[in-house]
Amino acid sequence: LVGLAEYFGSIPMPHYTMCHEFLIPLDIRHDYGFSMEHLNSMTMSMDTSAAVTGFDPNARIGSIVHHMGHAWIPLRSYGEGYRPFEWETAPLIETIWLNEGFTWYVSYYHVLNDKSILDYFNSVVDSAPDYINRKSLRELSLLGSTQYGADFRIGRNLFSRGALLAYELDLFITEKSNGQKSFKDVMNGFLDWTEENGRAFRYEEIPDIMSAAAGVDISDIWEKWQRP
Protein backbone atom coordinates (compact mmCIF):
# COMPACT_ATOMS: atom_id res chain seq x y z
CA LEU A 1 0.00 0.00 0.00
CA VAL A 2 2.88 2.35 0.75
CA GLY A 3 4.37 1.69 -2.68
CA LEU A 4 1.07 2.40 -4.42
CA ALA A 5 0.60 5.58 -2.39
CA GLU A 6 4.08 6.74 -3.39
CA TYR A 7 3.34 6.03 -7.05
CA PHE A 8 -0.03 7.80 -7.18
CA GLY A 9 0.89 10.47 -4.66
CA SER A 10 -2.27 9.91 -2.64
CA ILE A 11 -4.28 7.37 -0.66
CA PRO A 12 -7.98 7.56 -1.61
CA MET A 13 -9.36 5.49 1.25
CA PRO A 14 -9.46 6.10 5.04
CA HIS A 15 -8.52 2.47 5.77
CA TYR A 16 -7.91 -0.76 3.87
CA THR A 17 -8.92 -4.31 4.81
CA MET A 18 -7.67 -7.63 3.41
CA CYS A 19 -9.57 -10.87 3.95
CA HIS A 20 -7.67 -14.04 2.97
CA GLU A 21 -9.22 -17.47 3.35
CA PHE A 22 -7.48 -20.80 2.84
CA LEU A 23 -9.86 -23.64 2.05
CA ILE A 24 -9.75 -27.42 1.82
CA PRO A 25 -11.31 -28.33 -1.56
CA LEU A 26 -14.33 -30.59 -1.27
CA ASP A 27 -13.23 -32.49 -4.38
CA ILE A 28 -11.21 -32.03 -7.58
CA ARG A 29 -13.94 -29.86 -9.11
CA HIS A 30 -13.28 -27.17 -6.52
CA ASP A 31 -10.32 -24.90 -7.09
CA TYR A 32 -9.42 -21.42 -5.93
CA GLY A 33 -7.08 -18.60 -6.74
CA PHE A 34 -9.22 -15.67 -7.86
CA SER A 35 -9.41 -12.50 -5.80
CA MET A 36 -11.83 -9.60 -5.74
CA GLU A 37 -11.20 -5.91 -5.22
CA HIS A 38 -13.56 -3.60 -3.36
CA LEU A 39 -13.58 0.12 -2.69
CA ASN A 40 -11.57 -0.09 0.54
CA SER A 41 -10.72 -3.78 0.73
CA MET A 42 -9.93 -7.01 -1.11
CA THR A 43 -10.76 -10.68 -0.66
CA MET A 44 -8.65 -13.66 -1.69
CA SER A 45 -9.55 -17.36 -1.66
CA MET A 46 -6.80 -19.98 -1.92
CA ASP A 47 -6.53 -23.66 -1.10
CA THR A 48 -4.58 -24.72 1.97
CA SER A 49 -1.43 -25.52 -0.05
CA ALA A 50 -0.93 -21.74 -0.34
CA ALA A 51 -1.55 -21.02 3.34
CA VAL A 52 0.68 -18.47 5.04
CA THR A 53 2.48 -20.25 7.86
CA GLY A 54 5.14 -17.70 8.75
CA PHE A 55 6.90 -14.50 7.76
CA ASP A 56 8.55 -14.64 4.34
CA PRO A 57 10.41 -11.50 3.19
CA ASN A 58 10.44 -12.89 -0.36
CA ALA A 59 6.75 -13.74 -0.49
CA ARG A 60 5.05 -13.32 -3.85
CA ILE A 61 2.66 -10.46 -3.12
CA GLY A 62 1.98 -9.31 -6.68
CA SER A 63 -1.67 -10.32 -6.60
CA ILE A 64 -2.19 -8.44 -3.35
CA VAL A 65 -0.55 -5.26 -4.65
CA HIS A 66 -2.48 -5.56 -7.91
CA HIS A 67 -5.85 -5.80 -6.18
CA MET A 68 -4.95 -2.97 -3.84
CA GLY A 69 -4.16 -0.94 -6.95
CA HIS A 70 -7.74 -1.35 -8.09
CA ALA A 71 -8.76 0.97 -5.25
CA TRP A 72 -7.49 3.72 -7.57
CA ILE A 73 -8.37 2.25 -11.01
CA PRO A 74 -11.14 1.26 -11.74
CA LEU A 75 -12.93 1.66 -8.42
CA ARG A 76 -12.49 5.44 -8.44
CA SER A 77 -12.21 6.03 -12.20
CA TYR A 78 -13.91 3.75 -14.69
CA GLY A 79 -15.41 3.36 -18.13
CA GLU A 80 -19.03 2.84 -19.04
CA GLY A 81 -20.57 -0.43 -17.86
CA TYR A 82 -18.50 -0.71 -14.69
CA ARG A 83 -21.07 1.13 -12.59
CA PRO A 84 -23.80 0.97 -11.45
CA PHE A 85 -23.34 -2.68 -10.54
CA GLU A 86 -25.74 -5.13 -12.19
CA TRP A 87 -26.92 -8.01 -10.03
CA GLU A 88 -29.08 -9.63 -12.69
CA THR A 89 -26.41 -10.25 -15.34
CA ALA A 90 -22.75 -9.68 -16.07
CA PRO A 91 -22.33 -6.12 -17.40
CA LEU A 92 -20.67 -5.60 -20.77
CA ILE A 93 -17.49 -3.63 -20.12
CA GLU A 94 -15.28 -2.33 -22.94
CA THR A 95 -12.35 -1.35 -20.73
CA ILE A 96 -11.30 -4.51 -18.86
CA TRP A 97 -7.91 -4.26 -20.60
CA LEU A 98 -7.48 -0.80 -19.02
CA ASN A 99 -8.76 -1.76 -15.58
CA GLU A 100 -6.59 -4.85 -15.39
CA GLY A 101 -3.66 -4.13 -17.69
CA PHE A 102 -2.85 -0.64 -16.47
CA THR A 103 -3.04 -1.80 -12.85
CA TRP A 104 -0.92 -4.89 -13.55
CA TYR A 105 1.71 -2.67 -15.15
CA VAL A 106 1.85 -0.16 -12.30
CA SER A 107 1.78 -2.84 -9.59
CA TYR A 108 4.44 -5.16 -10.95
CA TYR A 109 6.69 -2.98 -13.12
CA HIS A 110 6.81 0.11 -10.92
CA VAL A 111 5.70 -0.68 -7.36
CA LEU A 112 7.35 -4.13 -7.13
CA ASN A 113 10.12 -3.17 -9.58
CA ASP A 114 9.68 -6.47 -11.44
CA LYS A 115 10.95 -5.57 -14.92
CA SER A 116 10.81 -9.23 -16.00
CA ILE A 117 7.01 -9.05 -15.96
CA LEU A 118 7.25 -7.62 -19.50
CA ASP A 119 8.55 -11.00 -20.67
CA TYR A 120 5.46 -12.64 -19.22
CA PHE A 121 3.11 -10.16 -20.90
CA ASN A 122 4.83 -10.65 -24.25
CA SER A 123 4.77 -14.44 -23.96
CA VAL A 124 1.02 -14.38 -23.28
CA VAL A 125 0.34 -12.21 -26.32
CA ASP A 126 2.73 -14.14 -28.58
CA SER A 127 1.09 -17.48 -27.72
CA ALA A 128 -2.52 -16.30 -27.98
CA PRO A 129 -4.85 -18.47 -30.10
CA ASP A 130 -6.23 -17.11 -33.36
CA TYR A 131 -9.71 -16.43 -31.99
CA ILE A 132 -8.14 -14.00 -29.51
CA ASN A 133 -5.66 -12.48 -31.97
CA ARG A 134 -8.51 -11.61 -34.33
CA LYS A 135 -10.19 -9.41 -31.72
CA SER A 136 -9.46 -5.79 -30.92
CA LEU A 137 -9.02 -4.67 -27.33
CA ARG A 138 -12.60 -3.47 -27.28
CA GLU A 139 -13.99 -6.71 -28.72
CA LEU A 140 -11.87 -8.87 -26.43
CA SER A 141 -13.04 -6.88 -23.42
CA LEU A 142 -16.68 -7.43 -24.32
CA LEU A 143 -15.96 -11.16 -24.61
CA GLY A 144 -14.11 -11.08 -21.30
CA SER A 145 -17.12 -9.48 -19.62
CA THR A 146 -18.70 -12.93 -19.45
CA GLN A 147 -15.74 -15.29 -19.99
CA TYR A 148 -12.75 -13.66 -18.26
CA GLY A 149 -12.17 -16.59 -15.92
CA ALA A 150 -14.05 -19.32 -17.76
CA ASP A 151 -11.31 -19.31 -20.40
CA PHE A 152 -8.46 -17.51 -18.68
CA ARG A 153 -6.58 -17.13 -21.95
CA ILE A 154 -9.03 -14.28 -22.51
CA GLY A 155 -8.27 -12.74 -19.12
CA ARG A 156 -4.50 -13.11 -19.49
CA ASN A 157 -4.52 -11.52 -22.94
CA LEU A 158 -6.66 -8.63 -21.76
CA PHE A 159 -4.33 -7.62 -18.94
CA SER A 160 -1.19 -8.43 -20.93
CA ARG A 161 -2.21 -6.30 -23.92
CA GLY A 162 -3.29 -3.50 -21.61
CA ALA A 163 -0.01 -3.65 -19.68
CA LEU A 164 2.09 -3.56 -22.85
CA LEU A 165 0.11 -0.56 -24.07
CA ALA A 166 0.84 1.12 -20.72
CA TYR A 167 4.55 0.35 -21.09
CA GLU A 168 4.70 1.85 -24.59
CA LEU A 169 2.84 4.94 -23.39
CA ASP A 170 5.24 5.26 -20.45
CA LEU A 171 8.30 5.24 -22.71
CA PHE A 172 6.74 7.63 -25.23
CA ILE A 173 5.51 10.16 -22.68
CA THR A 174 8.79 10.14 -20.76
CA GLU A 175 10.77 10.72 -23.96
CA LYS A 176 8.53 13.42 -25.44
CA SER A 177 8.30 15.33 -22.15
CA ASN A 178 12.06 15.08 -21.48
CA GLY A 179 11.32 13.15 -18.32
CA GLN A 180 8.89 15.70 -16.94
CA LYS A 181 5.90 13.38 -17.26
CA SER A 182 5.23 9.65 -17.39
CA PHE A 183 2.46 7.06 -17.32
CA LYS A 184 1.86 8.06 -13.70
CA ASP A 185 0.35 11.29 -15.02
CA VAL A 186 -2.04 9.28 -17.20
CA MET A 187 -3.28 7.26 -14.24
CA ASN A 188 -3.77 10.35 -12.12
CA GLY A 189 -5.35 12.05 -15.12
CA PHE A 190 -8.12 9.46 -15.15
CA LEU A 191 -8.74 10.04 -11.44
CA ASP A 192 -8.80 13.82 -11.87
CA TRP A 193 -11.12 13.55 -14.87
CA THR A 194 -13.62 11.39 -12.99
CA GLU A 195 -13.57 13.66 -9.95
CA GLU A 196 -14.24 16.66 -12.17
CA ASN A 197 -16.91 15.08 -14.39
CA GLY A 198 -18.60 12.76 -11.91
CA ARG A 199 -19.37 10.00 -14.42
CA ALA A 200 -17.90 7.07 -16.30
CA PHE A 201 -15.73 7.99 -19.26
CA ARG A 202 -16.82 6.87 -22.72
CA TYR A 203 -14.51 4.72 -24.82
CA GLU A 204 -13.99 7.48 -27.38
CA GLU A 205 -12.87 9.86 -24.62
CA ILE A 206 -9.97 7.70 -23.44
CA PRO A 207 -7.23 8.94 -25.83
CA ASP A 208 -8.08 12.60 -25.17
CA ILE A 209 -8.01 12.04 -21.40
CA MET A 210 -4.60 10.40 -21.66
CA SER A 211 -3.18 13.02 -24.03
CA ALA A 212 -4.36 15.87 -21.82
CA ALA A 213 -2.87 14.28 -18.72
CA ALA A 214 0.44 13.48 -20.42
CA GLY A 215 0.76 16.79 -22.23
CA VAL A 216 1.63 14.95 -25.46
CA ASP A 217 -0.45 13.51 -28.29
CA ILE A 218 -0.68 9.74 -27.81
CA SER A 219 -3.26 9.17 -30.57
CA ASP A 220 -0.90 7.20 -32.85
CA ILE A 221 -0.13 4.70 -30.09
CA TRP A 222 -3.82 4.51 -29.21
CA GLU A 223 -4.83 3.75 -32.80
CA LYS A 224 -2.11 1.11 -33.11
CA TRP A 225 -3.34 -0.78 -30.04
CA GLN A 226 -6.99 -0.61 -31.10
CA ARG A 227 -6.27 -2.85 -34.08
CA PRO A 228 -6.41 -6.65 -33.63
Side-chain angles (χ1 to χ4, degrees), residues 4-160:
L4 286 163
E6 290 176 349
Y7 182 84
F8 284 99
S10 64
I11 300 178
M13 74 289 284
H15 54 78
Y16 197 86
T17 303
M18 293 188 297
C19 177
H20 290 197
E21 58 181 359
F22 301 96
L23 308 171
I24 300 175
L26 293 175
D27 56 43
I28 60 173
R29 294 177 300 169
H30 290 77
D31 59 11
Y32 310 101
F34 271 84
S35 306
M36 180 60 66
E37 65 275 2
H38 310 283
L39 197 62
N40 300 323
S41 63
M42 65 164 288
T43 56
M44 177 180 288
S45 297
M46 308 290 287
D47 67 51
T48 51
S49 66
V52 177
T53 58
F55 174 71
D56 180 3
N58 299 311
R60 298 174 64 183
I61 61 172
S63 180
I64 295 173
V65 177
H66 162 74
H67 284 87
M68 282 183 169
H70 281 316
W72 283 263
I73 304 286
L75 282 160
R76 286 175 168 83
S77 182
Y78 44 86
E80 290 183 323
Y82 189 78
R83 285 185 174 174
F85 184 76
E86 297 276 355
W87 285 105
E88 290 80 6
T89 185
L92 296 178
I93 302 174
E94 300 173 318
T95 53
I96 296 176
W97 56 268
L98 187 157
N99 301 344
E100 295 296 331
F102 284 12
T103 306
W104 265 79
Y105 174 69
V106 168
S107 300
Y108 282 85
Y109 190 84
H110 284 291
V111 176
L112 295 174
N113 197 32
D114 180 5
K115 308 307 183 189
S116 68
I117 195 67
L118 296 177
D119 296 331
Y120 172 70
F121 296 144
N122 278 303
S123 69
V124 169
V125 173
D126 291 343
S127 61
D130 286 343
Y131 87 94
I132 286 179
N133 284 330
R134 290 194 299 267
K135 288 180 169 53
S136 67
L137 278 175
R138 195 175 195 172
E139 292 167 338
L140 191 60
S141 188
L142 290 171
L143 180 63
S145 296
T146 57
Q147 299 185 50
Y148 187 93
D151 182 349
F152 199 44
R153 292 176 298 177
I154 297 170
R156 282 195 295 265
N157 273 273
L158 277 168
F159 68 67
S160 293

